Structures are given as structure tokens and as C-alpha cells.
Amino acid sequence: MTDLSCLAVVLAAGEGTRMKSDLPKVLHAVGGRPLIDAVIESARAGGAHRLAIVIGAGADKVRAHLGKAAPDAQVFEQRERLGTAHAALAAREALVHHQGPVLVLFGDTPLVRPETIAALIGRLSAGADIALLGFTTDAPTGYGRLIIKDERLVAIIEEREADAATKAIRLCNSGIMAFRAGLLPELLEAIGNANAKGEYYLTDAIALGTARGLRAEAVIGDDESEFVGINDRVQLAAAEAIFQQRARAEAMAAGVTLVAPDTVFFSFDTKLDRDVVVDPNVVFAPGVQVASGTVIRAFSHLEGARVASGAVIGPYARLRPGADLAENVHVGNFVEIKNARVDQGAKVNHLTYIGDAAIGARTNVGAGTITCNYDGVFKHKTIIGADVFVGSNTVMVAPVTVGNNALTAAGSVITADVPDGAMAFGRARQEVKEGMGAAKKAALAAKKAAAKSSG
Ligand code: UD1
Ligand code: MG
């Protein structure tokens, strides 16, 4: 039986010159994840079973990234950047050993939906030899233009090769193509480089295939925003804006209230349950999960954090990686929480840093509390039990443990463990001198008057 699994070849070797960056283009992020990861996920979800990724510019960084992000992918290196057809040929070993259809995608086109890719692959079983995803746009500059004759795609003309009439065409190449099994290696080898850039253009596969009697079809996507290719920072920002619009719409469709949607920023993996309410100006960096009924107040920043239901976060709260908040926890203004579990109903409401810590249920952490978790070399843990009252401006010098139902006096520096039910004072005892305040003020006033009359 023939193996009809689909191989996706992702081209990601380009210099990304127009990004003017030290970071390889495909490692720039949209929605908090590298472009290449988004492309890989769409390809897999759209029906690709195997992956071949062609890297080149910044190869070491991209290879290291792929080792973690797509360990099953075959990685090929294109040593010279001679164009997209040349890049695809770098994956020749994968192509010649593959029996099924081949999908080619660009690493700089991260917003395409899996359904769109699946529809493209579907065209092959419906009779096309080559199927290409196109789109119509009022801003076609930079994209290859599709030449359609008698409903057949006959050629793609790159911007640089286009005359004025061709440049006026609004039908563009997304760069995503599907090829019937066995076609691609031979077509790639036949592509030449007699063009303005002296590059081997993958897009020439269309005219070449058509000349050989192959049937090429364009599938025209109806949502232009899926096909934004990122070549410079303006397009990067445009893609980010599209990503955010989608994420906001999806969140609201799933039952999340966004009071001012345009001011809330999501990451690719943000998970908000229904009836979460998000006030204006909130940022969800990667790795955030929030359960139902939680309210995130204005100007909060969350990253790598889990929040259970019924919590109130912010305004102006910062949850950093490893923040794990249980049901009905309150975290208020100018509070930073990192790598810390906060149990049911605990409150940390004002001007506080909790790092590398555990806080028990119903504990109240007073304003200005700091866990000193770092001694300059090592990180240490602060463990605070349940039903503790942490007095305002307490400094917990970790490692330190405060038992259940204990109390720390305001302004204390806690350097030793506090047993269950104890009260700890870690501050100088207050002294009161009767009359001394008024006397001091009078002496100062007299000094000021004397200075005035002599001056
Ligand atoms: C390309 C297409 C254009 C299409 C547009 C869609 C060609 C010749 N042009 O133009 O028709 O409308 O994408 O966004 O295919 N790459 C390599 N090695 C190379 C050159 C490029 O791996 O030698 C990779 C790049 O990393 C990138 C992709 O191929 O991911 C496309 O290259 P890029 O230079 O961005 O082509 P565009 O000018 O955008
Ligand atoms: Mg591009």
C-alpha cells in the first residue's frame, strides 16, 4: 500500500534582511511564540504528518530552537540563500524518500488556519497536481501575483519581475502550496534563475508545471489576514494586531468579558474560562490559565501563572511564572508574585513581593510585605501557614517558616521560624518620652527665628 501521509516542507532559511535584526526572522514572535512554531502547528493541525524544515540564516539558533519545539522534524541546512526553490531542494533527501503529497510553507507566514491548509491538500485528491493558496488584497506590493487563464493558474510573477499591468493585479501568492506525490523534486530541479534577483523561485513551479501539462489550481482564501507574510517590522506588527483581534474575538465567543477588548493582549496559549472578567489594559504573556469567575482588574500583567476560580487580581498586579493562586485569592495593587502557591481565600492586597513562597489558606498578608528570597547567590523558600496574619511591612528573610495561625508584628524582620499560633516581633521596641516632641519643635522654631533676625 502506498504511504499517503503528507510531508510539510517549511522554508525558514532566508536572511530576513528587511527585519534588520540579529535574531533570525522565524524566531521573532507573534502572540508570544516564534513564527516558525505557529507555522509548524498549523501544518500539523492542517494534515501534515511529517515535517522537513529548511534552515540557513542564523542556523545555530534556529536549530537549537527546533530541537525543543519540534524534535521530530527533519532539519536541513541551505548553505547559500539562492531562493525559495533552492531552499526546497535542500530538503531533497526527505522529498525523494516520501511517497505522499507534499505541502510547502514559508516560515514567515504564521497566521494561516489549519482548515485552510486542509482545504488546500483536499484539492489534490480532487484532481489538482499543484494547489496554491492565494488571496486578494488592496496592498499587494511585495507579493507574487497570480496569473489566471480560463480558471487555471498558469503562472506567478514576482513583484520584481512584474510590469505595471501585473503590479495592478490584486490576487497574490501566500507561498503555501501542495504538490501531488512525486512531482516536486523534478520540478525543483528544472527551475532556473534567469530573473531580476538571480534566484531560484519556487513560484516558477507553476508556469513550468503548466507547460508540462500539469493541472495547477489556486484556492483563494476569503480571509486575507491569514496570509500576511512577515518581512519587516511593520508586517510583524500587522500580524500581531491580527493575532490579537482573533484572540479577543475567540475569548469573547467563549464567554469571557473584555470591558475594552482592544486594550487586552493575549498569547498563543492564554486560557480564560467562561465568566472571567478582564478590565482594560491587561497583558497575558505566555502560559496563563484563569478559571471562571475571576476578575482581572486594570493594568495587570500575568505570565506563566495559574489562577483558580473566584479570584480578584489587580489593579496593577504582576503575576510571574510559577504563580499558582487557589480559589478566591485576592491579589491587589502593586503586588508581585513569582513561583509561589497561594491557598484558598488568602489575601495579598497591597505593595508586596512574594517570591519562592507558599502561603496558606485565609492568610492575610499586610501592605509592604517582602519575601527576601535571594541572598545574591541562592534562592530560598518562605513558607507561611494557614490563617496567618502578616503585619504590614514584614520582611521574611528566607529560608523561613511561619506556622499556622501565627502573627507577625508590623515592621518585623523575620529571620527565624515562627511556631504555630505564635506572635513574632522582629523590630526595636518603641520608646515614648513625654513632652519631648513639643520641646523639640519649639527649639527648632526658636532657632529658625534667630537665624531670620540675624540674617
Ligand atoms: C515569497 C514568494 C511570493 C509570495 C510571498 C508570500 C517566492 C519567490 N516568492 O516572497 O510569491 O507572495 O513569499 O509571503 O517564493 N527562504 C529560504 N531560502 C531562500 C529564500 C527564502 O529558506 O533562499 C525562505 C524564507 O526564510 C521565507 C520564505 O522562504 O520563510 C519566503 O522568502 P521571502 O524572502 O520572505 O520571500 P518573499 O519576498 O516574501
Ligand atoms: Mg516573505
PDB file of all heavy atoms in Angstrom, residues 11-14 18 25-26 54 78 80-84 87 106-109 142-144 156 158 173-175 197 199 201-203 227 229 231, ligand 1:
ATOM      1  N   LEU A  11      10.044  26.375   4.723  1.00  0.00           N
ATOM      2  CA  LEU A  11      11.241  27.123   4.313  1.00  0.00           C
ATOM      3  C   LEU A  11      11.502  28.247   5.313  1.00  0.00           C
ATOM      4  O   LEU A  11      10.680  29.150   5.470  1.00  0.00           O
ATOM      5  CB  LEU A  11      11.056  27.699   2.913  1.00  0.00           C
ATOM      6  CG  LEU A  11      10.644  26.680   1.844  1.00  0.00           C
ATOM      7  CD1 LEU A  11      10.645  27.343   0.474  1.00  0.00           C
ATOM      8  CD2 LEU A  11      11.574  25.463   1.862  1.00  0.00           C
ATOM      9  N   ALA A  12      12.645  28.146   5.953  1.00  0.00           N
ATOM     10  CA  ALA A  12      12.927  29.102   7.028  1.00  0.00           C
ATOM     11  C   ALA A  12      14.400  29.494   7.032  1.00  0.00           C
ATOM     12  O   ALA A  12      14.978  29.753   8.082  1.00  0.00           O
ATOM     13  CB  ALA A  12      12.544  28.490   8.365  1.00  0.00           C
ATOM     14  N   ALA A  13      15.002  29.532   5.837  1.00  0.00           N
ATOM     15  CA  ALA A  13      16.441  29.791   5.773  1.00  0.00           C
ATOM     16  C   ALA A  13      16.767  31.242   5.445  1.00  0.00           C
ATOM     17  O   ALA A  13      17.919  31.665   5.558  1.00  0.00           O
ATOM     18  CB  ALA A  13      17.088  28.872   4.740  1.00  0.00           C
ATOM     19  N   GLY A  14      15.757  31.999   5.024  1.00  0.00           N
ATOM     20  CA  GLY A  14      16.008  33.342   4.494  1.00  0.00           C
ATOM     21  C   GLY A  14      16.745  34.252   5.473  1.00  0.00           C
ATOM     22  O   GLY A  14      16.691  34.057   6.681  1.00  0.00           O
ATOM     23  N   ARG A  18      15.149  42.400   5.696  1.00  0.00           N
ATOM     24  CA  ARG A  18      14.281  43.552   5.917  1.00  0.00           C
ATOM     25  C   ARG A  18      13.875  43.707   7.387  1.00  0.00           C
ATOM     26  O   ARG A  18      13.361  44.739   7.781  1.00  0.00           O
ATOM     27  CB  ARG A  18      13.032  43.429   5.012  1.00  0.00           C
ATOM     28  CG  ARG A  18      13.358  43.608   3.525  1.00  0.00           C
ATOM     29  CD  ARG A  18      12.245  43.108   2.616  1.00  0.00           C
ATOM     30  NE  ARG A  18      12.310  41.654   2.384  1.00  0.00           N
ATOM     31  CZ  ARG A  18      11.474  40.972   1.598  1.00  0.00           C
ATOM     32  NH1 ARG A  18      10.506  41.614   0.958  1.00  0.00           N
ATOM     33  NH2 ARG A  18      11.602  39.664   1.443  1.00  0.00           N
ATOM     34  N   LYS A  25      14.732  35.700  11.437  1.00  0.00           N
ATOM     35  CA  LYS A  25      13.350  36.183  11.257  1.00  0.00           C
ATOM     36  C   LYS A  25      12.323  35.227  11.853  1.00  0.00           C
ATOM     37  O   LYS A  25      11.388  35.665  12.545  1.00  0.00           O
ATOM     38  CB  LYS A  25      13.064  36.411   9.772  1.00  0.00           C
ATOM     39  CG  LYS A  25      11.625  36.787   9.478  1.00  0.00           C
ATOM     40  CD  LYS A  25      11.411  37.364   8.099  1.00  0.00           C
ATOM     41  CE  LYS A  25      11.388  36.342   7.002  1.00  0.00           C
ATOM     42  NZ  LYS A  25      10.974  36.938   5.704  1.00  0.00           N
ATOM     43  N   VAL A  26      12.489  33.923  11.606  1.00  0.00           N
ATOM     44  CA  VAL A  26      11.445  32.983  12.026  1.00  0.00           C
ATOM     45  C   VAL A  26      11.388  32.785  13.534  1.00  0.00           C
ATOM     46  O   VAL A  26      10.492  32.121  14.039  1.00  0.00           O
ATOM     47  CB  VAL A  26      11.587  31.609  11.329  1.00  0.00           C
ATOM     48  CG1 VAL A  26      11.349  31.762   9.832  1.00  0.00           C
ATOM     49  CG2 VAL A  26      12.940  30.979  11.617  1.00  0.00           C
ATOM     50  N   VAL A  54      13.740  23.686   6.524  1.00  0.00           N
ATOM     51  CA  VAL A  54      14.972  24.149   5.902  1.00  0.00           C
ATOM     52  C   VAL A  54      15.428  25.411   6.613  1.00  0.00           C
ATOM     53  O   VAL A  54      14.707  26.417   6.648  1.00  0.00           O
ATOM     54  CB  VAL A  54      14.769  24.418   4.396  1.00  0.00           C
ATOM     55  CG1 VAL A  54      16.065  24.907   3.765  1.00  0.00           C
ATOM     56  CG2 VAL A  54      14.256  23.155   3.701  1.00  0.00           C
ATOM     57  N   GLN A  78      20.243  24.981   4.263  1.00  0.00           N
ATOM     58  CA  GLN A  78      20.515  25.571   2.948  1.00  0.00           C
ATOM     59  C   GLN A  78      21.736  26.476   3.136  1.00  0.00           C
ATOM     60  O   GLN A  78      21.660  27.473   3.852  1.00  0.00           O
ATOM     61  CB  GLN A  78      19.304  26.393   2.480  1.00  0.00           C
ATOM     62  CG  GLN A  78      19.475  27.026   1.117  1.00  0.00           C
ATOM     63  CD  GLN A  78      18.447  28.128   0.847  1.00  0.00           C
ATOM     64  OE1 GLN A  78      17.885  28.717   1.765  1.00  0.00           O
ATOM     65  NE2 GLN A  78      18.217  28.411  -0.421  1.00  0.00           N
ATOM     66  N   GLU A  80      23.643  28.323   1.005  1.00  0.00           N
ATOM     67  CA  GLU A  80      23.612  29.650   0.382  1.00  0.00           C
ATOM     68  C   GLU A  80      22.158  29.999   0.148  1.00  0.00           C
ATOM     69  O   GLU A  80      21.368  29.118  -0.151  1.00  0.00           O
ATOM     70  CB  GLU A  80      24.259  29.610  -1.006  1.00  0.00           C
ATOM     71  CG  GLU A  80      25.729  29.403  -1.036  1.00  0.00           C
ATOM     72  CD  GLU A  80      26.163  29.196  -2.480  1.00  0.00           C
ATOM     73  OE1 GLU A  80      25.870  28.128  -3.039  1.00  0.00           O
ATOM     74  OE2 GLU A  80      26.748  30.132  -3.048  1.00  0.00           O
ATOM     75  N   ARG A  81      21.824  31.272   0.258  1.00  0.00           N
ATOM     76  CA  ARG A  81      20.433  31.672   0.063  1.00  0.00           C
ATOM     77  C   ARG A  81      20.209  32.018  -1.392  1.00  0.00           C
ATOM     78  O   ARG A  81      20.422  33.152  -1.817  1.00  0.00           O
ATOM     79  CB  ARG A  81      20.097  32.870   0.947  1.00  0.00           C
ATOM     80  CG  ARG A  81      19.190  32.504   2.083  1.00  0.00           C
ATOM     81  CD  ARG A  81      19.739  31.463   3.012  1.00  0.00           C
ATOM     82  NE  ARG A  81      20.763  32.043   3.867  1.00  0.00           N
ATOM     83  CZ  ARG A  81      21.697  31.335   4.470  1.00  0.00           C
ATOM     84  NH1 ARG A  81      21.784  30.030   4.302  1.00  0.00           N
ATOM     85  NH2 ARG A  81      22.600  31.921   5.227  1.00  0.00           N
ATOM     86  N   LEU A  82      19.812  31.020  -2.181  1.00  0.00           N
ATOM     87  CA  LEU A  82      19.648  31.245  -3.619  1.00  0.00           C
ATOM     88  C   LEU A  82      18.195  31.200  -4.043  1.00  0.00           C
ATOM     89  O   LEU A  82      17.896  31.009  -5.213  1.00  0.00           O
ATOM     90  CB  LEU A  82      20.473  30.208  -4.400  1.00  0.00           C
ATOM     91  CG  LEU A  82      21.989  30.224  -4.099  1.00  0.00           C
ATOM     92  CD1 LEU A  82      22.722  29.157  -4.904  1.00  0.00           C
ATOM     93  CD2 LEU A  82      22.580  31.603  -4.386  1.00  0.00           C
ATOM     94  N   GLY A  83      17.292  31.352  -3.104  1.00  0.00           N
ATOM     95  CA  GLY A  83      15.880  31.439  -3.458  1.00  0.00           C
ATOM     96  C   GLY A  83      15.055  30.295  -2.901  1.00  0.00           C
ATOM     97  O   GLY A  83      15.577  29.313  -2.377  1.00  0.00           O
ATOM     98  N   THR A  84      13.725  30.456  -3.027  1.00  0.00           N
ATOM     99  CA  THR A  84      12.813  29.516  -2.372  1.00  0.00           C
ATOM    100  C   THR A  84      12.846  28.116  -3.011  1.00  0.00           C
ATOM    101  O   THR A  84      12.677  27.112  -2.308  1.00  0.00           O
ATOM    102  CB  THR A  84      11.374  30.075  -2.351  1.00  0.00           C
ATOM    103  OG1 THR A  84      11.058  30.629  -3.628  1.00  0.00           O
ATOM    104  CG2 THR A  84      11.233  31.160  -1.302  1.00  0.00           C
ATOM    105  N   ALA A  87      15.914  26.512  -1.756  1.00  0.00           N
ATOM    106  CA  ALA A  87      15.704  26.137  -0.351  1.00  0.00           C
ATOM    107  C   ALA A  87      14.942  24.813  -0.265  1.00  0.00           C
ATOM    108  O   ALA A  87      15.309  23.918   0.501  1.00  0.00           O
ATOM    109  CB  ALA A  87      14.934  27.241   0.379  1.00  0.00           C
ATOM    110  N   PHE A 106       5.971  28.691   4.083  1.00  0.00           N
ATOM    111  CA  PHE A 106       7.047  29.618   4.428  1.00  0.00           C
ATOM    112  C   PHE A 106       7.038  29.860   5.933  1.00  0.00           C
ATOM    113  O   PHE A 106       5.975  30.043   6.528  1.00  0.00           O
ATOM    114  CB  PHE A 106       6.868  30.959   3.705  1.00  0.00           C
ATOM    115  CG  PHE A 106       7.061  30.881   2.214  1.00  0.00           C
ATOM    116  CD1 PHE A 106       6.646  31.916   1.386  1.00  0.00           C
ATOM    117  CD2 PHE A 106       7.680  29.787   1.627  1.00  0.00           C
ATOM    118  CE1 PHE A 106       6.833  31.863   0.012  1.00  0.00           C
ATOM    119  CE2 PHE A 106       7.877  29.714   0.257  1.00  0.00           C
ATOM    120  CZ  PHE A 106       7.445  30.767  -0.553  1.00  0.00           C
ATOM    121  N   GLY A 107       8.222  29.902   6.491  1.00  0.00           N
ATOM    122  CA  GLY A 107       8.342  30.126   7.931  1.00  0.00           C
ATOM    123  C   GLY A 107       7.923  31.506   8.375  1.00  0.00           C
ATOM    124  O   GLY A 107       7.819  31.771   9.574  1.00  0.00           O
ATOM    125  N   ASP A 108       7.678  32.407   7.430  1.00  0.00           N
ATOM    126  CA  ASP A 108       7.346  33.781   7.814  1.00  0.00           C
ATOM    127  C   ASP A 108       5.872  34.108   7.605  1.00  0.00           C
ATOM    128  O   ASP A 108       5.494  35.269   7.556  1.00  0.00           O
ATOM    129  CB  ASP A 108       8.230  34.791   7.055  1.00  0.00           C
ATOM    130  CG  ASP A 108       7.951  34.852   5.561  1.00  0.00           C
ATOM    131  OD1 ASP A 108       7.174  34.015   5.052  1.00  0.00           O
ATOM    132  OD2 ASP A 108       8.516  35.745   4.891  1.00  0.00           O
ATOM    133  N   THR A 109       5.030  33.057   7.512  1.00  0.00           N
ATOM    134  CA  THR A 109       3.605  33.269   7.262  1.00  0.00           C
ATOM    135  C   THR A 109       2.822  32.516   8.337  1.00  0.00           C
ATOM    136  O   THR A 109       2.344  31.406   8.111  1.00  0.00           O
ATOM    137  CB  THR A 109       3.276  32.767   5.823  1.00  0.00           C
ATOM    138  OG1 THR A 109       4.199  33.381   4.919  1.00  0.00           O
ATOM    139  CG2 THR A 109       1.865  33.113   5.409  1.00  0.00           C
ATOM    140  N   GLY A 142       4.941  43.539  -3.013  1.00  0.00           N
ATOM    141  CA  GLY A 142       5.860  42.597  -2.382  1.00  0.00           C
ATOM    142  C   GLY A 142       5.483  41.145  -2.609  1.00  0.00           C
ATOM    143  O   GLY A 142       6.326  40.259  -2.525  1.00  0.00           O
ATOM    144  N   TYR A 143       4.216  40.892  -2.863  1.00  0.00           N
ATOM    145  CA  TYR A 143       3.775  39.510  -3.068  1.00  0.00           C
ATOM    146  C   TYR A 143       3.867  39.126  -4.546  1.00  0.00           C
ATOM    147  O   TYR A 143       3.755  39.968  -5.434  1.00  0.00           O
ATOM    148  CB  TYR A 143       2.320  39.342  -2.607  1.00  0.00           C
ATOM    149  CG  TYR A 143       2.125  39.483  -1.120  1.00  0.00           C
ATOM    150  CD1 TYR A 143       1.545  40.620  -0.583  1.00  0.00           C
ATOM    151  CD2 TYR A 143       2.522  38.467  -0.257  1.00  0.00           C
ATOM    152  CE1 TYR A 143       1.364  40.753   0.785  1.00  0.00           C
ATOM    153  CE2 TYR A 143       2.342  38.594   1.118  1.00  0.00           C
ATOM    154  CZ  TYR A 143       1.771  39.740   1.631  1.00  0.00           C
ATOM    155  OH  TYR A 143       1.598  39.868   2.981  1.00  0.00           O
ATOM    156  N   GLY A 144       4.048  37.823  -4.817  1.00  0.00           N
ATOM    157  CA  GLY A 144       3.951  37.321  -6.180  1.00  0.00           C
ATOM    158  C   GLY A 144       2.487  37.404  -6.626  1.00  0.00           C
ATOM    159  O   GLY A 144       1.581  37.175  -5.836  1.00  0.00           O
ATOM    160  N   ILE A 156       3.051  32.516 -11.720  1.00  0.00           N
ATOM    161  CA  ILE A 156       3.149  33.513 -10.655  1.00  0.00           C
ATOM    162  C   ILE A 156       4.278  34.453 -11.064  1.00  0.00           C
ATOM    163  O   ILE A 156       5.365  33.996 -11.452  1.00  0.00           O
ATOM    164  CB  ILE A 156       3.473  32.867  -9.309  1.00  0.00           C
ATOM    165  CG1 ILE A 156       2.353  31.896  -8.906  1.00  0.00           C
ATOM    166  CG2 ILE A 156       3.663  33.929  -8.236  1.00  0.00           C
ATOM    167  CD1 ILE A 156       2.637  31.128  -7.640  1.00  0.00           C
ATOM    168  N   GLU A 158       6.691  37.425  -9.773  1.00  0.00           N
ATOM    169  CA  GLU A 158       7.181  38.103  -8.576  1.00  0.00           C
ATOM    170  C   GLU A 158       7.160  39.615  -8.772  1.00  0.00           C
ATOM    171  O   GLU A 158       7.311  40.109  -9.898  1.00  0.00           O
ATOM    172  CB  GLU A 158       8.611  37.633  -8.258  1.00  0.00           C
ATOM    173  CG  GLU A 158       8.687  36.214  -7.735  1.00  0.00           C
ATOM    174  CD  GLU A 158       7.845  36.003  -6.483  1.00  0.00           C
ATOM    175  OE1 GLU A 158       8.027  36.735  -5.503  1.00  0.00           O
ATOM    176  OE2 GLU A 158       6.982  35.107  -6.501  1.00  0.00           O
ATOM    177  N   ASN A 173       0.105  35.517  -4.120  1.00  0.00           N
ATOM    178  CA  ASN A 173       0.567  34.209  -3.664  1.00  0.00           C
ATOM    179  C   ASN A 173       0.848  34.252  -2.164  1.00  0.00           C
ATOM    180  O   ASN A 173       1.628  35.072  -1.688  1.00  0.00           O
ATOM    181  CB  ASN A 173       1.857  33.864  -4.424  1.00  0.00           C
ATOM    182  CG  ASN A 173       2.528  32.612  -3.886  1.00  0.00           C
ATOM    183  OD1 ASN A 173       1.875  31.732  -3.337  1.00  0.00           O
ATOM    184  ND2 ASN A 173       3.853  32.558  -4.065  1.00  0.00           N
ATOM    185  N   SER A 174       0.241  33.348  -1.430  1.00  0.00           N
ATOM    186  CA  SER A 174       0.522  33.265   0.008  1.00  0.00           C
ATOM    187  C   SER A 174       1.841  32.553   0.269  1.00  0.00           C
ATOM    188  O   SER A 174       2.417  32.675   1.354  1.00  0.00           O
ATOM    189  CB  SER A 174      -0.591  32.482   0.715  1.00  0.00           C
ATOM    190  OG  SER A 174      -0.475  31.102   0.396  1.00  0.00           O
ATOM    191  N   GLY A 175       2.301  31.784  -0.720  1.00  0.00           N
ATOM    192  CA  GLY A 175       3.512  30.989  -0.546  1.00  0.00           C
ATOM    193  C   GLY A 175       3.218  29.550  -0.144  1.00  0.00           C
ATOM    194  O   GLY A 175       4.118  28.715  -0.117  1.00  0.00           O
ATOM    195  N   LYS A 197      16.490  38.925  -9.700  1.00  0.00           N
ATOM    196  CA  LYS A 197      17.259  38.687  -8.476  1.00  0.00           C
ATOM    197  C   LYS A 197      18.326  37.610  -8.640  1.00  0.00           C
ATOM    198  O   LYS A 197      19.148  37.414  -7.736  1.00  0.00           O
ATOM    199  CB  LYS A 197      16.294  38.247  -7.354  1.00  0.00           C
ATOM    200  CG  LYS A 197      16.057  39.316  -6.299  1.00  0.00           C
ATOM    201  CD  LYS A 197      15.117  38.785  -5.230  1.00  0.00           C
ATOM    202  CE  LYS A 197      15.627  39.132  -3.831  1.00  0.00           C
ATOM    203  NZ  LYS A 197      14.720  38.606  -2.797  1.00  0.00           N
ATOM    204  N   GLU A 199      17.667  34.511  -8.545  1.00  0.00           N
ATOM    205  CA  GLU A 199      17.304  33.479  -7.562  1.00  0.00           C
ATOM    206  C   GLU A 199      16.465  32.379  -8.199  1.00  0.00           C
ATOM    207  O   GLU A 199      15.846  32.577  -9.231  1.00  0.00           O
ATOM    208  CB  GLU A 199      16.485  34.114  -6.421  1.00  0.00           C
ATOM    209  CG  GLU A 199      17.318  34.907  -5.456  1.00  0.00           C
ATOM    210  CD  GLU A 199      16.556  35.249  -4.170  1.00  0.00           C
ATOM    211  OE1 GLU A 199      15.354  34.933  -4.099  1.00  0.00           O
ATOM    212  OE2 GLU A 199      17.193  35.831  -3.275  1.00  0.00           O
ATOM    213  N   TYR A 201      13.243  30.704  -8.039  1.00  0.00           N
ATOM    214  CA  TYR A 201      11.928  30.983  -7.445  1.00  0.00           C
ATOM    215  C   TYR A 201      11.063  29.728  -7.444  1.00  0.00           C
ATOM    216  O   TYR A 201      10.765  29.170  -8.505  1.00  0.00           O
ATOM    217  CB  TYR A 201      11.174  32.035  -8.274  1.00  0.00           C
ATOM    218  CG  TYR A 201      11.717  33.442  -8.246  1.00  0.00           C
ATOM    219  CD1 TYR A 201      11.410  34.319  -9.288  1.00  0.00           C
ATOM    220  CD2 TYR A 201      12.486  33.918  -7.195  1.00  0.00           C
ATOM    221  CE1 TYR A 201      11.865  35.630  -9.287  1.00  0.00           C
ATOM    222  CE2 TYR A 201      12.948  35.225  -7.184  1.00  0.00           C
ATOM    223  CZ  TYR A 201      12.638  36.078  -8.229  1.00  0.00           C
ATOM    224  OH  TYR A 201      13.086  37.367  -8.224  1.00  0.00           O
ATOM    225  N   LEU A 202      10.594  29.349  -6.278  1.00  0.00           N
ATOM    226  CA  LEU A 202       9.660  28.224  -6.179  1.00  0.00           C
ATOM    227  C   LEU A 202       8.390  28.499  -6.990  1.00  0.00           C
ATOM    228  O   LEU A 202       7.766  27.595  -7.539  1.00  0.00           O
ATOM    229  CB  LEU A 202       9.309  28.006  -4.700  1.00  0.00           C
ATOM    230  CG  LEU A 202       8.294  26.926  -4.382  1.00  0.00           C
ATOM    231  CD1 LEU A 202       8.784  25.560  -4.835  1.00  0.00           C
ATOM    232  CD2 LEU A 202       8.022  26.899  -2.879  1.00  0.00           C
ATOM    233  N   THR A 203       8.054  29.763  -7.056  1.00  0.00           N
ATOM    234  CA  THR A 203       6.828  30.157  -7.761  1.00  0.00           C
ATOM    235  C   THR A 203       6.881  29.797  -9.246  1.00  0.00           C
ATOM    236  O   THR A 203       5.840  29.672  -9.889  1.00  0.00           O
ATOM    237  CB  THR A 203       6.605  31.665  -7.585  1.00  0.00           C
ATOM    238  OG1 THR A 203       7.857  32.340  -7.762  1.00  0.00           O
ATOM    239  CG2 THR A 203       6.119  31.958  -6.180  1.00  0.00           C
ATOM    240  N   PHE A 227      -2.893  35.414   5.478  1.00  0.00           N
ATOM    241  CA  PHE A 227      -1.776  35.209   4.563  1.00  0.00           C
ATOM    242  C   PHE A 227      -0.689  36.263   4.672  1.00  0.00           C
ATOM    243  O   PHE A 227       0.203  36.330   3.836  1.00  0.00           O
ATOM    244  CB  PHE A 227      -2.317  35.116   3.128  1.00  0.00           C
ATOM    245  CG  PHE A 227      -3.417  34.100   3.036  1.00  0.00           C
ATOM    246  CD1 PHE A 227      -4.738  34.486   2.837  1.00  0.00           C
ATOM    247  CD2 PHE A 227      -3.141  32.757   3.235  1.00  0.00           C
ATOM    248  CE1 PHE A 227      -5.756  33.537   2.806  1.00  0.00           C
ATOM    249  CE2 PHE A 227      -4.149  31.799   3.205  1.00  0.00           C
ATOM    250  CZ  PHE A 227      -5.458  32.191   2.986  1.00  0.00           C
ATOM    251  N   GLY A 229       2.533  37.802   5.123  1.00  0.00           N
ATOM    252  CA  GLY A 229       3.907  37.312   5.206  1.00  0.00           C
ATOM    253  C   GLY A 229       4.730  38.371   5.914  1.00  0.00           C
ATOM    254  O   GLY A 229       4.553  39.570   5.690  1.00  0.00           O
ATOM    255  N   ASN A 231       8.008  40.245   6.520  1.00  0.00           N
ATOM    256  CA  ASN A 231       9.348  40.539   6.007  1.00  0.00           C
ATOM    257  C   ASN A 231      10.011  41.687   6.746  1.00  0.00           C
ATOM    258  O   ASN A 231      11.219  41.829   6.709  1.00  0.00           O
ATOM    259  CB  ASN A 231       9.278  40.873   4.509  1.00  0.00           C
ATOM    260  CG  ASN A 231       8.731  39.706   3.708  1.00  0.00           C
ATOM    261  OD1 ASN A 231       9.194  38.573   3.849  1.00  0.00           O
ATOM    262  ND2 ASN A 231       7.715  39.962   2.909  1.00  0.00           N
TER     263      ASN A 231
HETATM  264  C1  UD1 B   1       7.603  34.920  -1.277  1.00  0.00           C
HETATM  265  C2  UD1 B   1       7.100  34.437  -2.646  1.00  0.00           C
HETATM  266  C3  UD1 B   1       5.955  35.353  -3.085  1.00  0.00           C
HETATM  267  C4  UD1 B   1       4.863  35.312  -2.042  1.00  0.00           C
HETATM  268  C5  UD1 B   1       5.392  35.688  -0.650  1.00  0.00           C
HETATM  269  C6  UD1 B   1       4.338  35.407   0.387  1.00  0.00           C
HETATM  270  C7  UD1 B   1       8.903  33.405  -3.942  1.00  0.00           C
HETATM  271  C8  UD1 B   1       9.957  33.595  -4.968  1.00  0.00           C
HETATM  272  N1  UD1 B   1       8.178  34.477  -3.615  1.00  0.00           N
HETATM  273  O1  UD1 B   1       8.140  36.216  -1.404  1.00  0.00           O
HETATM  274  O2  UD1 B   1       5.430  34.904  -4.341  1.00  0.00           O
HETATM  275  O3  UD1 B   1       3.819  36.207  -2.431  1.00  0.00           O
HETATM  276  O4  UD1 B   1       6.539  34.876  -0.324  1.00  0.00           O
HETATM  277  O5  UD1 B   1       4.734  35.866   1.657  1.00  0.00           O
HETATM  278  O6  UD1 B   1       8.738  32.295  -3.455  1.00  0.00           O
HETATM  279  N2  UD1 B   1      13.712  31.304   2.041  1.00  0.00           N
HETATM  280  C9  UD1 B   1      14.668  30.341   2.204  1.00  0.00           C
HETATM  281  N3  UD1 B   1      15.776  30.372   1.428  1.00  0.00           N
HETATM  282  C10 UD1 B   1      15.961  31.309   0.453  1.00  0.00           C
HETATM  283  C11 UD1 B   1      14.979  32.303   0.305  1.00  0.00           C
HETATM  284  C12 UD1 B   1      13.874  32.270   1.111  1.00  0.00           C
HETATM  285  O7  UD1 B   1      14.528  29.449   3.045  1.00  0.00           O
HETATM  286  O8  UD1 B   1      16.995  31.250  -0.226  1.00  0.00           O
HETATM  287  C13 UD1 B   1      12.524  31.256   2.927  1.00  0.00           C
HETATM  288  C14 UD1 B   1      12.428  32.463   3.848  1.00  0.00           C
HETATM  289  O9  UD1 B   1      13.005  32.154   5.101  1.00  0.00           O
HETATM  290  C15 UD1 B   1      10.922  32.688   3.963  1.00  0.00           C
HETATM  291  C16 UD1 B   1      10.365  32.111   2.681  1.00  0.00           C
HETATM  292  O10 UD1 B   1      11.364  31.286   2.128  1.00  0.00           O
HETATM  293  O11 UD1 B   1      10.366  31.996   5.068  1.00  0.00           O
HETATM  294  C17 UD1 B   1       9.971  33.197   1.698  1.00  0.00           C
HETATM  295  O12 UD1 B   1      11.104  34.017   1.426  1.00  0.00           O
HETATM  296  P1  UD1 B   1      10.984  35.593   1.404  1.00  0.00           P
HETATM  297  O13 UD1 B   1      12.311  36.151   1.091  1.00  0.00           O
HETATM  298  O14 UD1 B   1      10.266  36.082   2.589  1.00  0.00           O
HETATM  299  O15 UD1 B   1      10.056  35.754   0.093  1.00  0.00           O
HETATM  300  P2  UD1 B   1       9.027  36.901  -0.218  1.00  0.00           P
HETATM  301  O16 UD1 B   1       9.751  38.036  -0.829  1.00  0.00           O
HETATM  302  O17 UD1 B   1       8.197  37.164   0.951  1.00  0.00           O
END
